[in-house]
Every structure is written in structure tokens, then in C-alpha cells.
Amino acid sequence: MGESSTGKSDLADAHRAGAGMVGSGRTELARALFGADALTGGSIKLVGKGSAAWGSPAQAIDAGLVPAPEDRKAHGLFTSLSVRINVTIPILSTLTRFGVLKRSAEDKVVRGAQERLSIVMSSADQETQFLSGGNQQKVVPAKWLSTNPAVIILDEPTRGVDVGAKFEIYKLMRQLNDRGIAIVMISSELPEVIGMSDRIMVMNDGRIAGELTREEAGEARIIEFATMGASEAGRP
Amino acid sequence: MNSVLGLLSGKRKRSAQSRAVFLRRNGPIIMVYVFILLLVFIGITQSERFFTERNLTNVARQSAFLGIVALGQMLVILTAGIDLSVGSLVKVSILVSAIVMNGESANVLPAIIATLGLGVLVGLIHGFLINELRIAPFIVTLASLVILRGIGLTISSSPVGKASREVMMFYVQKIGPIPIIAWMFFLLIVLTILLLRFTVFGKYLYAVGGNIEVARLSGVPVKAVRYGVYVLCSLTAAVTGLLWLSRMGVGDPAIGDGIELQTITAVIIGGTSLFGGRASVLGTLGGVLLLGITANLLVMLGVNQFIQGLIQGVIIVAAVALYKQEGE
């Protein structure tokens, strides 16, 4: 898992989506890309950074690769902590002078994030669990945008959100893309995969079963790749 | 359309929420201090000896002894960990420092270095077992409690070693009307507040306690943070062992038992969540003072020792019940 095919081409200006069914290895691939789990083989290359082999999320963040995990409560947010710490945590060490945190620098980062994503909150010290669901959802990208990333990995960004919030997220993805940030979106919703992606990689049984361009993509072809070999392998 | 509804109802709900948050965070701590004032009032009216300089000086010293370790314990609990070994480490620390010092002024520095080194070593071992072998902090430090107590009693089951003259003088020295040991505690309180508020390490403690997986994915060096916090906590125990030597003058192996439970009690009374991610230095100070003054008052009023334990137990349950109410 984590084959070189995941990073060899130019990612910039590309929306790329990993489709495939739940359990096909999509999330595992994303976690390996981000350094959350160890690679079992292959390597990761990020354009402009040469070959990178990071063993921890901290190193991945330094290289400009950040994740927005599927389950925001379990992997994306400190729900019991303030918006301030949630947004600044990946770049805290850059907000210091002589080892002391600069409150003004923190405030600037939080204010910037709040304006860019129009997060509604009573103050930067509000606990994220008291924000509305939509606003909580925005804190995750706010946190990663503060790191000035090159690539964002979005794992099921629209799962469990209402139609209005979905539209907001799509809009945000377009904005990020316009700013030159590449997005790797993982999704099992075919309409959004086809509608949002420049390139689509379909995963199946821990491997990339097929790669489609936007022009080639269609629900039928994606499903074909996603289920290929399922019957003869006789898997459950 | 959703957001319009949200805006309409949001304003009122938010102010109620922030008040609820303020109360949840500070209400019980305010009550702890109100309760302390009540105890002081009882002390003044019911005992002639309570409100004397001599007694208050004693309370201040005893609170410092408990409080310094409680600060270390609080930092560990903030990361959703726990350190049950602090009492046994105080015991081993007083023995080691007394033996190395052996009554000689020239040996004071080596004794301090040996004792603090012991603290660092114990903290590193805790960090290693928790980080690398992934054993729960409760289990690691419980084992450490038993092992260190065993080491202590193996070193000696009767008082050994001796403090030097200066070290014994340290216990009674004062700056103004306040014992120097209480000043030390005060300084550590200020340092802990600054650590939590203005340093990256402090914020990382909240992050690890808030959600360790999110912290890791956010680039927090989770292992280093846990090594650091267990070393800090063990250091507070080692320092307290040295302070006990200055008080006792000899390496008394009876010292240290039960400190782990007292510190955990003080930290919980002070509003720090056992689940991590939330801590209050002033709350911990309140918890320490509440325990210290209660114990002192019960002695002053001539209450039976066993009933003292009962009363402390009631305080813990009452405090936890209070926080649960406020939290909902």
C-alpha cells in the first residue's frame, strides 16, 4: 500500500479524487501519505520537495501535506479546547519569541482564519464543542490553512453534513484550488467525485485499480474499477 | 437559510453558553475558596490557637509540601495521565538525599544532584513505558509505586543519614513573615501558570490531554510531551523529598506514603478533569489549601484521626459531585 503511483505526477492545480468503496484501503492510503501510519512499501514524492520519507505527521506538515480526516470528532478537532488552540496548534512553534508565545501573533492567525472561512464564534476562547456543526466543520480547514499547505487530503469531507454546508465545502475546495493548493479528496459519493475531480483514482482491495481523467470519468467506469475482481476473488 | 436561523437564535444561546462555560470552569473553584473562608472562620471562632502566626506558618509550610507535588500531578492529569508513584518517590528521595548528605555541608550539592537525577530517571522510565511499550499510565505508575516503596524499605526500615546544618535551617527560614518553603511553592505556582499560558509545551499538554490522536495528527510531538511531563512530575516529588529532609533532619522511611492520593484529591477538588484537557492552577492551590486547612483544623479541634480520613473522603465525593452538576 502507498505505491509510488500516488505521487509521481504533478499535483498542483489538480483536484484528484480517490474513489472506491469503504474498506478498499482509501483511508489507510491517506493515513500512510500523511505519516500517521508507517508505509509497508513504496515511497512518497511531493513535487518540488524531492523524495520525502516522513515518519510522523509533524514531518508531513513541514513538507506541506496536511490531512482533514473523515471523523472530525475523533481525528480532526479538540472539541473540549478553544478555537484558538485548535487553529494554531500545527504552527504554534512559529508563533514564539524567545520561547514565549506571542498572543498577538496567535490572534492574527485566528482572526485570519475566522474571516477567510466566516466562522461564527463568540470569541477565540470559545470551546469548539459549543460551535454549530457547520462551524465546527470549518475549524478543521482553518487549522490546516494556517500552515500554508501545498496539498490537503480530505477524507469524506461532506459525510453527514446538510446540503447547504456541502455547497460551502465545495466552494471552499474551489477557492483553495485557485490559490494553488492541490486537494486529494477521498469520497464514495460518485457525483462529487466526478464533479470535483481533475483526475480520479479508483481503489479496490488496497490497490489503485484504475485511473481516469475528468473527461473519461463516468459512474459506470468507476464502479467497474471499484468492483473489479471482487467476484472471482470470492471475498466477503 | 440555515445560517439565518442560526444567526437569529445564535445570539441569545451563545451568551447563555458562555455564562455556562464560565460557571462550569470557575463556579466550583469559587466555591472551593468560599469553603476555605468558611473553614478559616470556624478556625478563628472555635480555636484560640488556629489564627496565630505560628499555626498559619505551619499550614503554609504543609500546604507547600503537598502543593509542589500537586502541581506536577496536575500537569500529568492535564495530559489525561496519572502518577501514582509520587509518594514512594518522595520516600526514596529523602532516603537518598539523607544518605548522600550524611550531615556534611560539602555533600549538600551532590545530594541535591543525586536526588534530582533520581527524579529525572524515574520520569524517563515512566515516559518510556507509557510511550514505547504503550502501557497505561495508571499501571506503569502503580508498579512504580510498589517498586519504589520496596526500594525505600530495602535501603532502610529505620531512619538513616543526616541533613547538614544549613539544610535544617532552610526549613525554619523566612522572608518577611512567610516561610521560604511557602515562597518556593508560590514561585512554582507562578511558573506553572506561565508555562500553561505562554509556552508551546504548555499548549501541547492541553492538546495531548484533549485528544491524543488529534494531537499526533496535528504535528504535536506527543512522545516528547509525555516524557517531559512525567519527568517534571517526578522532579516535583524529588524536590519534596529534599524539603522533607530539611524538616526531619534524617532520612525517615515513614515519609511519603499517601502523598499520591492527597495530590490527586487536591487536583480534582481544584477542577482539573481526570479525562485530561482541562486544568486550573488556582483550583489546585484551592484544593491544596482546603486539604491543608481541614487537616490542621481537625487537629486543632481534637477530632479523632480516623474521622479525619472520613471527612477528607466526603470532601472528594462532594467536590466531584459538584463538578458533575456544573458540567451538565
Side-chain angles (χ1 to χ4, degrees), chain A residues 130-187:
Chain A
F130 296 122
L131 298 177
S132 71
N135 280 303
Q136 284 184 28
Q137 191 87 323
K138 290 179 195 167
V139 174
V140 180
K143 159 172 146 182
W144 293 122
L145 287 180
S146 72
T147 67
N148 240 336
V151 184
I152 294 187
I153 303 171
L154 294 171
D155 194 352
E156 294 283 3
T158 61
R159 171 173 291 176
V161 302
D162 61 47
V163 179
K166 241 181 209 180
F167 178 70
E168 288 285 323
I169 291 167
Y170 295 146
K171 221 169 69 184
L172 174 67
M173 287 171 69
R174 289 278 177 227
Q175 285 167 4
L176 296 178
N177 211 211
D178 290 342
R179 290 173 45 200
I181 298 171
I183 296 175
V184 179
M185 175 176 73
I186 297 172
S187 172

Short mmCIF file of all heavy atoms in Angstrom, two decimals, chain A residues 130-187:
data_model
loop_
_atom_site.label_atom_id
_atom_site.label_comp_id
_atom_site.label_asym_id
_atom_site.label_seq_id
_atom_site.Cartn_x
_atom_site.Cartn_y
_atom_site.Cartn_z
N PHE A 130 -18.99 24.03 21.44
CA PHE A 130 -20.16 24.90 21.53
C PHE A 130 -20.43 25.66 20.24
O PHE A 130 -21.33 26.49 20.17
CB PHE A 130 -20.01 25.87 22.70
CG PHE A 130 -19.98 25.17 24.03
CD1 PHE A 130 -18.92 25.31 24.90
CD2 PHE A 130 -21.03 24.33 24.39
CE1 PHE A 130 -18.89 24.64 26.11
CE2 PHE A 130 -21.01 23.66 25.61
CZ PHE A 130 -19.94 23.81 26.47
N LEU A 131 -19.64 25.39 19.20
CA LEU A 131 -19.94 25.95 17.88
C LEU A 131 -21.00 25.07 17.23
O LEU A 131 -21.17 23.91 17.59
CB LEU A 131 -18.69 25.96 17.01
CG LEU A 131 -17.49 26.80 17.46
CD1 LEU A 131 -16.34 26.61 16.49
CD2 LEU A 131 -17.86 28.26 17.56
N SER A 132 -21.69 25.63 16.23
CA SER A 132 -22.65 24.80 15.48
C SER A 132 -21.87 23.78 14.66
O SER A 132 -20.66 23.94 14.42
CB SER A 132 -23.47 25.69 14.55
OG SER A 132 -22.64 26.16 13.50
N GLY A 133 -22.55 22.73 14.20
CA GLY A 133 -21.89 21.67 13.44
C GLY A 133 -21.14 22.20 12.24
O GLY A 133 -19.99 21.83 11.98
N GLY A 134 -21.79 23.12 11.50
CA GLY A 134 -21.16 23.68 10.31
C GLY A 134 -19.90 24.46 10.65
O GLY A 134 -18.89 24.37 9.95
N ASN A 135 -19.97 25.21 11.75
CA ASN A 135 -18.80 26.00 12.14
C ASN A 135 -17.67 25.12 12.66
O ASN A 135 -16.51 25.40 12.44
CB ASN A 135 -19.19 27.05 13.19
CG ASN A 135 -19.84 28.26 12.56
OD1 ASN A 135 -19.25 28.90 11.69
ND2 ASN A 135 -21.06 28.56 12.95
N GLN A 136 -18.06 24.04 13.35
CA GLN A 136 -17.03 23.07 13.77
C GLN A 136 -16.31 22.51 12.56
O GLN A 136 -15.10 22.38 12.53
CB GLN A 136 -17.68 21.91 14.54
CG GLN A 136 -18.08 22.25 15.95
CD GLN A 136 -18.61 21.04 16.69
OE1 GLN A 136 -18.25 19.90 16.41
NE2 GLN A 136 -19.48 21.29 17.64
N GLN A 137 -17.11 22.19 11.52
CA GLN A 137 -16.55 21.63 10.29
C GLN A 137 -15.54 22.58 9.67
O GLN A 137 -14.57 22.15 9.07
CB GLN A 137 -17.70 21.35 9.31
CG GLN A 137 -17.30 20.53 8.12
CD GLN A 137 -17.38 19.04 8.43
OE1 GLN A 137 -17.07 18.61 9.52
NE2 GLN A 137 -17.83 18.27 7.48
N LYS A 138 -15.77 23.90 9.86
CA LYS A 138 -14.87 24.88 9.25
C LYS A 138 -13.56 25.02 10.02
O LYS A 138 -12.57 25.50 9.49
CB LYS A 138 -15.55 26.25 9.19
CG LYS A 138 -16.69 26.34 8.20
CD LYS A 138 -17.27 27.74 8.28
CE LYS A 138 -18.63 27.81 7.59
NZ LYS A 138 -19.30 29.08 7.94
N VAL A 139 -13.58 24.65 11.31
CA VAL A 139 -12.37 24.83 12.11
C VAL A 139 -11.25 23.90 11.61
O VAL A 139 -10.08 24.25 11.67
CB VAL A 139 -12.65 24.59 13.61
CG1 VAL A 139 -11.37 24.63 14.43
CG2 VAL A 139 -13.63 25.63 14.14
N VAL A 140 -11.64 22.73 11.08
CA VAL A 140 -10.61 21.79 10.59
C VAL A 140 -9.80 22.39 9.44
O VAL A 140 -8.58 22.48 9.52
CB VAL A 140 -11.23 20.43 10.21
CG1 VAL A 140 -10.15 19.49 9.71
CG2 VAL A 140 -11.95 19.82 11.40
N PRO A 141 -10.46 22.87 8.35
CA PRO A 141 -9.65 23.52 7.32
C PRO A 141 -8.95 24.79 7.82
O PRO A 141 -7.84 25.09 7.38
CB PRO A 141 -10.66 23.85 6.21
CG PRO A 141 -12.01 23.68 6.79
CD PRO A 141 -11.87 22.72 7.94
N ALA A 142 -9.59 25.50 8.75
CA ALA A 142 -8.96 26.72 9.28
C ALA A 142 -7.60 26.39 9.88
O ALA A 142 -6.61 27.07 9.67
CB ALA A 142 -9.86 27.35 10.34
N LYS A 143 -7.58 25.28 10.62
CA LYS A 143 -6.34 24.84 11.24
C LYS A 143 -5.29 24.53 10.19
O LYS A 143 -4.14 24.96 10.31
CB LYS A 143 -6.69 23.61 12.07
CG LYS A 143 -5.57 22.68 12.41
CD LYS A 143 -6.12 21.66 13.38
CE LYS A 143 -5.52 20.33 13.22
NZ LYS A 143 -6.10 19.34 14.14
N TRP A 144 -5.69 23.84 9.11
CA TRP A 144 -4.68 23.43 8.14
C TRP A 144 -4.25 24.56 7.23
O TRP A 144 -3.10 24.61 6.81
CB TRP A 144 -5.18 22.23 7.34
CG TRP A 144 -5.31 21.05 8.22
CD1 TRP A 144 -6.42 20.32 8.46
CD2 TRP A 144 -4.28 20.50 9.05
NE1 TRP A 144 -6.15 19.34 9.38
CE2 TRP A 144 -4.85 19.44 9.76
CE3 TRP A 144 -2.94 20.82 9.28
CZ2 TRP A 144 -4.14 18.68 10.67
CZ3 TRP A 144 -2.22 20.07 10.18
CH2 TRP A 144 -2.82 19.01 10.86
N LEU A 145 -5.17 25.51 6.97
CA LEU A 145 -4.78 26.64 6.13
C LEU A 145 -3.72 27.48 6.83
O LEU A 145 -2.90 28.12 6.19
CB LEU A 145 -6.01 27.49 5.80
CG LEU A 145 -6.94 26.83 4.78
CD1 LEU A 145 -8.13 27.71 4.47
CD2 LEU A 145 -6.17 26.51 3.50
N SER A 146 -3.74 27.46 8.17
CA SER A 146 -2.75 28.26 8.90
C SER A 146 -1.33 27.76 8.63
O SER A 146 -0.36 28.48 8.83
CB SER A 146 -3.05 28.23 10.40
OG SER A 146 -2.75 26.97 10.94
N THR A 147 -1.20 26.53 8.15
CA THR A 147 0.15 26.00 7.90
C THR A 147 0.65 26.30 6.50
O THR A 147 1.76 25.93 6.14
CB THR A 147 0.18 24.46 8.06
OG1 THR A 147 -0.60 23.89 7.00
CG2 THR A 147 -0.37 24.01 9.38
N ASN A 148 -0.21 26.98 5.69
CA ASN A 148 0.18 27.27 4.32
C ASN A 148 0.55 26.00 3.55
O ASN A 148 1.67 25.86 3.06
CB ASN A 148 1.39 28.20 4.31
CG ASN A 148 1.03 29.46 3.58
OD1 ASN A 148 0.12 29.46 2.75
ND2 ASN A 148 1.73 30.54 3.90
N PRO A 149 -0.38 25.09 3.40
CA PRO A 149 -0.06 23.77 2.85
C PRO A 149 0.08 23.77 1.33
O PRO A 149 -0.40 24.69 0.66
CB PRO A 149 -1.27 22.93 3.25
CG PRO A 149 -2.40 23.91 3.27
CD PRO A 149 -1.81 25.22 3.72
N ALA A 150 0.71 22.75 0.79
CA ALA A 150 0.78 22.54 -0.65
C ALA A 150 -0.30 21.55 -1.08
O ALA A 150 -0.86 21.64 -2.16
CB ALA A 150 2.15 22.02 -1.05
N VAL A 151 -0.56 20.58 -0.22
CA VAL A 151 -1.54 19.54 -0.54
C VAL A 151 -2.43 19.30 0.69
O VAL A 151 -1.94 19.19 1.81
CB VAL A 151 -0.84 18.20 -0.88
CG1 VAL A 151 -1.88 17.16 -1.28
CG2 VAL A 151 0.19 18.39 -1.97
N ILE A 152 -3.72 19.25 0.46
CA ILE A 152 -4.63 18.89 1.55
C ILE A 152 -5.31 17.57 1.21
O ILE A 152 -5.76 17.38 0.08
CB ILE A 152 -5.72 19.98 1.76
CG1 ILE A 152 -5.07 21.27 2.26
CG2 ILE A 152 -6.77 19.50 2.76
CD1 ILE A 152 -6.08 22.33 2.65
N ILE A 153 -5.34 16.68 2.17
CA ILE A 153 -6.05 15.42 1.97
C ILE A 153 -7.39 15.51 2.69
O ILE A 153 -7.42 15.68 3.91
CB ILE A 153 -5.24 14.24 2.54
CG1 ILE A 153 -3.87 14.18 1.88
CG2 ILE A 153 -5.99 12.93 2.34
CD1 ILE A 153 -2.93 13.18 2.53
N LEU A 154 -8.46 15.43 1.94
CA LEU A 154 -9.78 15.50 2.55
C LEU A 154 -10.41 14.12 2.51
O LEU A 154 -10.64 13.56 1.45
CB LEU A 154 -10.68 16.46 1.77
CG LEU A 154 -10.32 17.95 1.76
CD1 LEU A 154 -11.21 18.69 0.76
CD2 LEU A 154 -10.51 18.53 3.14
N ASP A 155 -10.65 13.56 3.69
CA ASP A 155 -11.26 12.23 3.74
C ASP A 155 -12.75 12.40 4.02
O ASP A 155 -13.14 12.83 5.10
CB ASP A 155 -10.59 11.39 4.83
CG ASP A 155 -10.93 9.92 4.70
OD1 ASP A 155 -11.79 9.59 3.87
OD2 ASP A 155 -10.33 9.11 5.43
N GLU A 156 -13.58 12.07 3.04
CA GLU A 156 -15.04 12.19 3.15
C GLU A 156 -15.44 13.56 3.71
O GLU A 156 -16.05 13.66 4.78
CB GLU A 156 -15.61 11.09 4.05
CG GLU A 156 -15.46 9.69 3.50
CD GLU A 156 -16.49 9.37 2.41
OE1 GLU A 156 -17.28 10.25 2.04
OE2 GLU A 156 -16.47 8.23 1.90
N PRO A 157 -15.11 14.64 2.99
CA PRO A 157 -15.35 15.97 3.56
C PRO A 157 -16.83 16.30 3.74
O PRO A 157 -17.17 17.17 4.54
CB PRO A 157 -14.72 16.91 2.53
CG PRO A 157 -14.70 16.15 1.26
CD PRO A 157 -14.53 14.71 1.64
N THR A 158 -17.71 15.63 3.01
CA THR A 158 -19.12 16.01 3.09
C THR A 158 -19.98 14.98 3.78
O THR A 158 -21.20 15.07 3.76
CB THR A 158 -19.70 16.26 1.68
OG1 THR A 158 -19.60 15.03 0.94
CG2 THR A 158 -18.94 17.34 0.96
N ARG A 159 -19.35 14.00 4.39
CA ARG A 159 -20.18 12.98 5.06
C ARG A 159 -20.92 13.60 6.24
O ARG A 159 -20.33 14.27 7.07
CB ARG A 159 -19.31 11.83 5.55
CG ARG A 159 -20.09 10.87 6.45
CD ARG A 159 -19.30 9.67 6.81
NE ARG A 159 -19.09 8.82 5.63
CZ ARG A 159 -18.35 7.73 5.64
NH1 ARG A 159 -17.75 7.37 6.75
NH2 ARG A 159 -18.20 7.02 4.56
N GLY A 160 -22.22 13.36 6.27
CA GLY A 160 -23.03 13.77 7.41
C GLY A 160 -23.28 15.26 7.52
O GLY A 160 -23.62 15.73 8.60
N VAL A 161 -23.07 16.03 6.44
CA VAL A 161 -23.42 17.44 6.53
C VAL A 161 -24.60 17.72 5.60
O VAL A 161 -24.82 17.00 4.63
CB VAL A 161 -22.22 18.36 6.16
CG1 VAL A 161 -21.05 18.08 7.06
CG2 VAL A 161 -21.83 18.19 4.71
N ASP A 162 -25.35 18.79 5.92
CA ASP A 162 -26.55 19.06 5.11
C ASP A 162 -26.16 19.69 3.77
O ASP A 162 -25.01 20.04 3.53
CB ASP A 162 -27.54 19.94 5.89
CG ASP A 162 -26.94 21.28 6.24
OD1 ASP A 162 -26.33 21.90 5.36
OD2 ASP A 162 -27.07 21.68 7.41
N VAL A 163 -27.16 19.84 2.91
CA VAL A 163 -26.90 20.28 1.54
C VAL A 163 -26.22 21.64 1.50
O VAL A 163 -25.27 21.86 0.74
CB VAL A 163 -28.23 20.32 0.75
CG1 VAL A 163 -27.97 20.80 -0.67
CG2 VAL A 163 -28.87 18.95 0.73
N GLY A 164 -26.69 22.55 2.38
CA GLY A 164 -26.11 23.90 2.39
C GLY A 164 -24.63 23.86 2.74
O GLY A 164 -23.80 24.49 2.08
N ALA A 165 -24.30 23.09 3.76
CA ALA A 165 -22.91 23.01 4.21
C ALA A 165 -22.05 22.33 3.15
O ALA A 165 -20.89 22.68 2.94
CB ALA A 165 -22.84 22.26 5.53
N LYS A 166 -22.65 21.35 2.46
CA LYS A 166 -21.94 20.66 1.38
C LYS A 166 -21.49 21.67 0.33
O LYS A 166 -20.34 21.67 -0.12
CB LYS A 166 -22.90 19.66 0.73
CG LYS A 166 -22.43 18.23 0.82
CD LYS A 166 -23.40 17.31 0.13
CE LYS A 166 -23.34 15.97 0.79
NZ LYS A 166 -24.24 15.00 0.20
N PHE A 167 -22.43 22.52 -0.05
CA PHE A 167 -22.14 23.52 -1.07
C PHE A 167 -20.99 24.42 -0.59
O PHE A 167 -20.07 24.73 -1.35
CB PHE A 167 -23.40 24.35 -1.34
CG PHE A 167 -23.18 25.45 -2.33
CD1 PHE A 167 -22.96 25.16 -3.67
CD2 PHE A 167 -23.16 26.78 -1.91
CE1 PHE A 167 -22.74 26.18 -4.57
CE2 PHE A 167 -22.94 27.79 -2.82
CZ PHE A 167 -22.73 27.50 -4.16
N GLU A 168 -21.02 24.81 0.69
CA GLU A 168 -19.96 25.64 1.27
C GLU A 168 -18.60 24.95 1.13
O GLU A 168 -17.58 25.56 0.81
CB GLU A 168 -20.23 25.90 2.76
CG GLU A 168 -21.37 26.85 3.04
CD GLU A 168 -20.98 28.29 2.77
OE1 GLU A 168 -19.81 28.63 3.05
OE2 GLU A 168 -21.83 29.05 2.26
N ILE A 169 -18.60 23.67 1.41
CA ILE A 169 -17.34 22.91 1.36
C ILE A 169 -16.81 22.85 -0.06
O ILE A 169 -15.61 23.05 -0.31
CB ILE A 169 -17.54 21.50 1.96
CG1 ILE A 169 -17.79 21.62 3.47
CG2 ILE A 169 -16.33 20.61 1.69
CD1 ILE A 169 -18.29 20.37 4.13
N TYR A 170 -17.72 22.60 -1.04
CA TYR A 170 -17.28 22.58 -2.44
C TYR A 170 -16.69 23.92 -2.83
O TYR A 170 -15.66 24.00 -3.51
CB TYR A 170 -18.46 22.24 -3.37
CG TYR A 170 -19.01 20.85 -3.18
CD1 TYR A 170 -20.36 20.58 -3.34
CD2 TYR A 170 -18.18 19.79 -2.82
CE1 TYR A 170 -20.87 19.30 -3.17
CE2 TYR A 170 -18.67 18.51 -2.65
CZ TYR A 170 -20.02 18.27 -2.81
OH TYR A 170 -20.51 17.02 -2.64
N LYS A 171 -17.36 24.99 -2.38
CA LYS A 171 -16.89 26.34 -2.70
C LYS A 171 -15.48 26.55 -2.13
O LYS A 171 -14.58 27.06 -2.80
CB LYS A 171 -17.86 27.37 -2.11
CG LYS A 171 -18.15 28.52 -3.03
CD LYS A 171 -19.32 29.37 -2.53
CE LYS A 171 -18.98 30.13 -1.27
NZ LYS A 171 -20.11 30.87 -0.72
N LEU A 172 -15.32 26.11 -0.89
CA LEU A 172 -14.02 26.25 -0.23
C LEU A 172 -12.94 25.49 -1.00
O LEU A 172 -11.83 25.98 -1.21
CB LEU A 172 -14.11 25.73 1.21
CG LEU A 172 -12.80 25.67 1.98
CD1 LEU A 172 -12.30 27.08 2.25
CD2 LEU A 172 -12.99 24.93 3.30
N MET A 173 -13.30 24.28 -1.46
CA MET A 173 -12.32 23.48 -2.20
C MET A 173 -11.89 24.21 -3.47
O MET A 173 -10.71 24.24 -3.83
CB MET A 173 -12.92 22.11 -2.55
CG MET A 173 -13.03 21.18 -1.34
SD MET A 173 -13.96 19.67 -1.67
CE MET A 173 -12.84 18.82 -2.78
N ARG A 174 -12.85 24.83 -4.17
CA ARG A 174 -12.51 25.60 -5.37
C ARG A 174 -11.57 26.75 -5.04
O ARG A 174 -10.59 27.01 -5.74
CB ARG A 174 -13.79 26.17 -6.01
CG ARG A 174 -14.66 25.13 -6.66
CD ARG A 174 -14.15 24.79 -8.05
NE ARG A 174 -14.97 23.73 -8.64
CZ ARG A 174 -14.47 22.65 -9.25
NH1 ARG A 174 -13.17 22.49 -9.33
NH2 ARG A 174 -15.28 21.76 -9.76
N GLN A 175 -11.87 27.44 -3.92
CA GLN A 175 -11.03 28.58 -3.51
C GLN A 175 -9.60 28.13 -3.23
O GLN A 175 -8.64 28.76 -3.65
CB GLN A 175 -11.60 29.26 -2.26
CG GLN A 175 -12.83 30.11 -2.54
CD GLN A 175 -13.53 30.51 -1.26
OE1 GLN A 175 -13.05 30.20 -0.15
NE2 GLN A 175 -14.66 31.19 -1.38
N LEU A 176 -9.49 27.03 -2.49
CA LEU A 176 -8.16 26.51 -2.16
C LEU A 176 -7.41 26.18 -3.43
O LEU A 176 -6.23 26.52 -3.60
CB LEU A 176 -8.28 25.24 -1.30
CG LEU A 176 -8.91 25.41 0.06
CD1 LEU A 176 -9.02 24.06 0.76
CD2 LEU A 176 -8.08 26.36 0.90
N ASN A 177 -8.12 25.56 -4.37
CA ASN A 177 -7.52 25.17 -5.63
C ASN A 177 -7.03 26.39 -6.41
O ASN A 177 -5.94 26.39 -6.99
CB ASN A 177 -8.56 24.40 -6.44
CG ASN A 177 -7.92 23.36 -7.31
OD1 ASN A 177 -8.40 23.03 -8.36
ND2 ASN A 177 -6.78 22.82 -6.86
N ASP A 178 -7.85 27.44 -6.37
CA ASP A 178 -7.46 28.68 -7.08
C ASP A 178 -6.19 29.27 -6.48
O ASP A 178 -5.45 29.97 -7.16
CB ASP A 178 -8.59 29.71 -7.00
CG ASP A 178 -9.79 29.29 -7.85
OD1 ASP A 178 -9.60 28.42 -8.73
OD2 ASP A 178 -10.90 29.81 -7.62
N ARG A 179 -5.97 29.00 -5.22
CA ARG A 179 -4.76 29.53 -4.57
C ARG A 179 -3.57 28.61 -4.76
O ARG A 179 -2.53 28.81 -4.14
CB ARG A 179 -5.03 29.77 -3.08
CG ARG A 179 -5.98 30.93 -2.85
CD ARG A 179 -6.36 31.05 -1.40
NE ARG A 179 -5.21 30.91 -0.52
CZ ARG A 179 -5.30 30.61 0.76
NH1 ARG A 179 -6.48 30.38 1.29
NH2 ARG A 179 -4.22 30.52 1.49
N GLY A 180 -3.75 27.59 -5.58
CA GLY A 180 -2.61 26.73 -5.91
C GLY A 180 -2.42 25.57 -4.96
O GLY A 180 -1.39 24.92 -4.96
N ILE A 181 -3.42 25.32 -4.11
CA ILE A 181 -3.32 24.18 -3.19
C ILE A 181 -3.97 22.96 -3.85
O ILE A 181 -5.10 23.03 -4.31
CB ILE A 181 -4.04 24.49 -1.86
CG1 ILE A 181 -3.37 25.69 -1.18
CG2 ILE A 181 -4.06 23.28 -0.95
CD1 ILE A 181 -4.12 26.22 0.02
N ALA A 182 -3.20 21.89 -3.93
CA ALA A 182 -3.74 20.66 -4.51
C ALA A 182 -4.58 19.94 -3.47
O ALA A 182 -4.27 19.99 -2.27
CB ALA A 182 -2.62 19.76 -4.99
N ILE A 183 -5.64 19.29 -3.92
CA ILE A 183 -6.51 18.60 -2.98
C ILE A 183 -6.63 17.13 -3.37
O ILE A 183 -6.84 16.82 -4.54
CB ILE A 183 -7.91 19.23 -2.96
CG1 ILE A 183 -7.83 20.67 -2.44
CG2 ILE A 183 -8.87 18.41 -2.10
CD1 ILE A 183 -9.13 21.41 -2.49
N VAL A 184 -6.41 16.27 -2.40
CA VAL A 184 -6.71 14.86 -2.61
C VAL A 184 -7.98 14.58 -1.84
O VAL A 184 -7.98 14.64 -0.61
CB VAL A 184 -5.57 13.95 -2.09
CG1 VAL A 184 -5.93 12.49 -2.31
CG2 VAL A 184 -4.26 14.30 -2.77
N MET A 185 -9.08 14.36 -2.56
CA MET A 185 -10.34 14.12 -1.89
C MET A 185 -10.65 12.63 -1.92
O MET A 185 -10.54 11.99 -2.96
CB MET A 185 -11.48 14.88 -2.57
CG MET A 185 -12.84 14.57 -1.96
SD MET A 185 -14.18 15.54 -2.67
CE MET A 185 -14.35 14.78 -4.28
N ILE A 186 -11.03 12.11 -0.77
CA ILE A 186 -11.43 10.71 -0.71
C ILE A 186 -12.93 10.68 -0.50
O ILE A 186 -13.44 11.34 0.41
CB ILE A 186 -10.72 10.00 0.45
CG1 ILE A 186 -9.22 10.01 0.20
CG2 ILE A 186 -11.27 8.59 0.62
CD1 ILE A 186 -8.43 9.52 1.38
N SER A 187 -13.64 9.97 -1.36
CA SER A 187 -15.10 10.01 -1.26
C SER A 187 -15.71 8.77 -1.88
O SER A 187 -15.13 8.17 -2.79
CB SER A 187 -15.61 11.25 -1.97
OG SER A 187 -17.02 11.20 -2.04
#
